Amino acid sequence: MSPTLRVSTKQAKRPLRKLLSDKYLYTDEAFANRVATLDDLKLEDCQVSEGLSLLTPSGKPFLLAISCPSERTQEALSRATEYIVQSETIGLLVVHASDTQDHTFYRRRFDSNVVERIADLESYFLGGVGAQSILFEGAGVYEPNAHRSDDSYLLPISNKLENLFFDIHSVMRDVDGLHADAALEELCKLIYVKAFAEDQGLQGVGFVPHSREFGSTEEYAATIRGLYRDSVEYDLRVFRLKIPQYDRSRGVFKDPIRLSSSALVKSFQVLENFSLKKSTADVKGRAFQKVLGRAIRSGMGQYFTPAAVCEFMVNVVQPQIHHLILDPFCGSGHFLSLSLAAVADRNDPSSRAFHEFAFGKLHGIEKSDRMTRIAMTDMRLSGDGHSNIRCADSLLHFDNYPDIAPDSFDIVLTNPPFGSLLGSDSLAHLGTFELARGRKTVGLEVLGLERAVAFLRPGGRIAIVLPESVFSADSTAYVRQWIRTRLKVRAVVSMPIETFSPFGANVKTSVLFARKWKPGEVVGDDYDVCMVKMESVGYDASGRSKAHTDITEAQTEILSFLKTEGW
């Protein structure tokens, strides 16, 4: 909740205004109608004689200045600090001692809301943030076009610029010292802002921020922070009307941007001359995956399905434009974004049918709010469907999912978490599972398998990664029997041990491709199954590339089998 500000059109040369004008070049011309006086600062007992806030072109406060007697400055500082942290955008504080004419400057740390003293303010330079020099025309007055909607100057991201997102990621780590996973989260927020600003600009109700529009780093940063909050509120307003309990299951972007203003502006400047809308989905997707891959390898505490394995599974299942698709353990959402790309390759992306597919038929569930943000970002870059990523535990009772139901989806593509045994205490908090009945412990992957199948409609297709023990261990014989009664197995692919090693999991896995039995079908196992063993997935245990991969050959073999035998 932001403090109340009252815009003042009077530009009297009071001490604070004179200080900002004379020394720091905050001129009357630059700030016509962008100085706000304070109605609810509640500093009467601190004897504040003057209080004002400077606003961005879009009306967001970014600098607070107060003047009071020197014996009251510490108390005023404390009160003013409480005031500015209520705002998502104010980053600078000026405290002026009216009797001594001394002034002190403070900067807010947005990661902790601590206010720290700084030596001086940045001068307001109307040539644009970070510019070295500019040639003024005419009378030399620069008038930033703060409401420009024309994006003709923006360039698409090309193959040569696929490191653009990684460059932003690096700026965040270098300037603010963020760990790779924290920087990835902030990158997701910036992409969210950029996409929203471009959408609003195209609709003529907003503008895409650019350095040339601002005179200081803090003004630019406050604009981005304000746009971020606008984008979150816009999403909530639009999608809560369409999706029950949208706030609860998708409100993962509620946390503010935590970057310092310097890191925020330097990061956004990398992107400001480029258009996400004009860039192809495959280029944006590859650029994002490069950042994600590096963040994963730095240790995010998450296991991911390698891109090559995701592509292999999607290519075998062959999603179509009429399919309703779910990943109930979606992680970064790569199964969904690849499904979107596969359907886009076979259909007109401008058609109504494709629009309905992209926005309504791709669904994901992810327990981690961090990974939900990443998945939503990946989907938004890929052509959308981001509003259908739910932040929820997919193993809960079905009553917890107000907008999805069992037996609903044509395709389930997933890699459920594995490696943990759940006891009775854990199971008591989850839904009811046949495969857990009468057992003291059950593998997490076993529950994931049952839940994935429960979401699948009769006749629907599933591709799921499972530990190889599910297919071979004596202790999981009951799971294999359950699979026979629920699924017609079409293929089982044994993956090499190094498949997940680069991502921190040294577990032998297999991929199961199957179809859910239809009502009235004779359930049995008197049919052929395609069995494939891969020796190489194109990289070794450390993630280094290898010359040979069996993926293409395995994919061809399975597709040939399915063409003859069917699903």
Side-chain angles (χ1 to χ4, degrees):
M1 179 177 178
S2 297
T4 302
L5 298 172
R6 178 165 55 84
V7 175
S8 172
T9 57
K10 296 180 180 180
Q11 306 293 331
K13 292 291 186 180
R14 302 180 71 179
L16 287 176
R17 194 72 188 101
K18 181 174 176 57
L19 170 69
L20 294 172
S21 295
D22 295 351
K23 184 175 181 181
Y24 298 103
L25 309 181
Y26 286 95
T27 62
D28 290 345
E29 292 79 12
F31 279 92
N33 301 319
R34 288 207 278 131
V35 175
T37 56
L38 310 173
D39 288 335
D40 63 353
L41 190 52
K42 296 185 172 68
L43 288 172
E44 295 88 351
D45 54 344
C46 298
Q47 300 180 30
V48 170
S49 58
E50 184 182 6
L52 60 86
S53 186
L54 301 182
L55 310 179
T56 69
S58 54
K60 307 296 183 183
F62 69 90
L63 183 150
L64 172 66
I66 57 176
S67 179
C68 64
S70 55
E71 68 269 15
R72 298 285 189 171
T73 54
Q74 285 304 309
E75 185 180 359
L77 172 63
S78 177
R79 297 284 191 85
T81 298
E82 293 175 4
Y83 178 84
I84 67 174
V85 298
Q86 294 179 54
S87 163
E88 196 161 324
T89 58
I90 299 177
L92 293 175
L93 173 63
V94 180
V95 179
H96 175 260
S98 55
D99 51 341
T100 65
Q101 303 305 309
D102 291 335
H103 44 262
T104 51
F105 307 108
Y106 301 89
R107 177 177 57 210
R108 171 184 174 187
R109 290 182 60 95
F110 283 88
D111 59 344
S112 61
N113 279 329
V114 170
V115 174
E116 57 190 14
R117 185 168 177 175
I118 55 176
D120 212 343
L121 290 182
E122 175 187 12
S123 294
Y124 192 83
F125 178 55
L126 286 175
V129 176
Q132 297 301 311
S133 62
I134 190 166
L135 295 175
F136 294 101
E137 297 180 359
V141 177
Y142 179 83
E143 296 181 358
N145 180 8
H147 296 286
R148 113 184 258 143
S149 58
D150 177 20
D151 68 348
S152 59
Y153 66 94
L154 296 179
L155 302 172
I157 301 172
S158 67
N159 293 331
K160 295 180 179 179
L161 294 167
E162 281 186 11
N163 285 325
L164 205 64
F165 293 156
F166 185 72
D167 291 342
I168 297 172
H169 190 256
S170 298
V171 168
M172 294 175 182
R173 289 182 289 129
D174 293 343
V175 177
D176 277 2
L178 297 183
H179 190 269
D181 56 347
L184 178 59
E185 290 200 51
E186 296 303 309
L187 172 62
C188 289
K189 295 174 186 177
L190 260 61
I191 292 173
Y192 207 76
V193 171
K194 178 68 170 173
F196 173 75
E198 289 185 17
D199 287 342
Q200 295 292 292
L202 288 174
Q203 297 169 27
V205 294
F207 70 103
V208 182
H210 193 281
S211 295
R212 62 168 165 265
E213 313 290 354
F214 307 102
S216 75
T217 296
E218 206 64 49
E219 183 190 27
Y220 194 175
T223 299
I224 300 170
R225 295 185 204 279
L227 270 174
Y228 172 70
R229 182 52 50 206
D230 292 344
S231 70
V232 172
E233 293 175 355
Y234 178 84
D235 246 20
L236 291 175
R237 284 194 297 111
V238 171
F239 292 113
R240 66 161 59 107
L241 298 176
K242 301 178 181 179
I243 303 171
Q245 298 183 24
Y246 180 84
D247 301 44
R248 188 185 76 177
S249 62
R250 277 75 144 198
V252 295
F253 279 96
K254 290 181 180 178
D255 288 343
I257 293 173
R258 301 192 182 279
L259 293 170
S260 68
S261 295
S262 177
L264 175 55
V265 168
K266 287 180 182 297
S267 298
F268 209 83
Q269 284 177 319
V270 177
L271 196 58
E272 67 181 9
N273 288 317
F274 298 95
S275 167
L276 297 179
K277 283 288 184 184
K278 294 179 182 179
S279 306
T280 61
D282 61 327
V283 170
K284 290 182 292 186
R286 287 197 301 271
F288 189 66
Q289 288 299 316
K290 284 185 177 181
V291 181
L292 182 58
R294 287 177 168 100
I296 293 167
R297 286 190 288 275
S298 73
M300 287 183 62
Q302 300 274 346
Y303 295 146
F304 292 82
T305 313
V309 177
C310 288
E311 292 175 17
F312 163 64
M313 293 168 66
V314 169
N315 289 342
V316 170
V317 171
Q318 294 186 321
Q320 304 298 319
I321 201 167
H322 61 276
H323 284 150
L324 194 61
I325 301 172
L326 173 71
D327 182 349
F329 309 93
C330 72
S332 67
H334 205 37
F335 280 124
L336 301 174
S337 58
L338 286 174
S339 295
L340 181 59
V343 172
D345 285 343
R346 294 190 290 269
N347 297 273
D348 178 7
S350 65
S351 67
R352 179 177 178 178
F354 181 80
H355 177 83
E356 291 176 351
F357 174 80
F359 284 84
K361 295 182 179 179
L362 293 159
H363 296 261
I365 305 174
E366 172 51 46
K367 188 175 181 179
S368 162
D369 58 351
R370 168 196 285 172
M371 294 312 303
T372 303
R373 280 190 288 272
I374 292 171
M376 291 177 73
T377 304
D378 195 17
M379 290 302 294
R380 192 155 196 167
L381 291 171
S382 298
D384 237 308
H386 75 280
S387 61
N388 296 321
I389 308 294
R390 297 154 184 81
C391 186
D393 185 345
S394 59
L395 297 179
L396 298 177
H397 191 279
F398 277 105
D399 289 346
N400 289 280
Y401 318 120
D403 55 340
I404 54 175
D407 301 319
S408 297
F409 292 89
D410 300 291
I411 291 175
V412 171
L413 283 152
T414 195
N415 175 14
F418 47 79
S420 298
L421 286 176
L422 301 185
S424 56
D425 290 345
S426 298
L427 292 171
H429 299 288
L430 303 178
T432 302
F433 291 88
E434 288 184 51
L435 292 173
R437 194 174 298 150
R439 298 185 177 276
K440 294 181 179 180
T441 61
V442 63
L444 187 55
E445 66 276 2
V446 172
L447 300 186
L449 167 65
E450 182 175 335
R451 182 48 56 91
V453 173
F455 277 121
L456 197 64
R457 71 165 179 81
R461 305 171 184 177
I462 185 171
I464 183 170
V465 179
L466 294 167
E468 193 148 293
S469 59
V470 170
F471 301 93
S472 58
D474 292 341
S475 61
T476 55
Y478 76 103
V479 179
R480 295 191 291 277
Q481 180 57 37
W482 183 90
I483 290 174
R484 293 188 187 96
T485 63
R486 299 298 187 279
L487 301 171
K488 183 176 182 179
V489 178
R490 306 318 292 128
V492 178
V493 182
S494 176
M495 310 297 289
I497 187 69
E498 65 267 18
T499 301
F500 287 88
S501 294
F503 304 94
N506 295 306
V507 179
K508 190 82 165 64
T509 58
S510 292
V511 180
L512 170 67
F513 295 95
R515 174 176 64 78
K516 196 169 185 177
W517 290 110
K518 300 175 184 177
E521 277 191 295
V522 177
V523 176
D525 52 13
D526 186 19
Y527 55 84
D528 292 334
V529 175
C530 182
M531 305 294 291
V532 178
K533 183 176 182 179
M534 284 195 199
E535 300 292 345
S536 173
V537 285
Y539 52 83
D540 61 20
S542 65
R544 291 190 295 267
S545 297
K546 294 170 64 175
H548 178 69
T549 175
D550 294 329
I551 289 181
T552 302
E553 184 179 343
Q555 178 178 307
T556 301
E557 184 176 346
I558 297 172
L559 289 175
S560 178
F561 171 84
L562 292 171
K563 185 176 182 180
T564 303
E565 299 289 333
W567 277 91

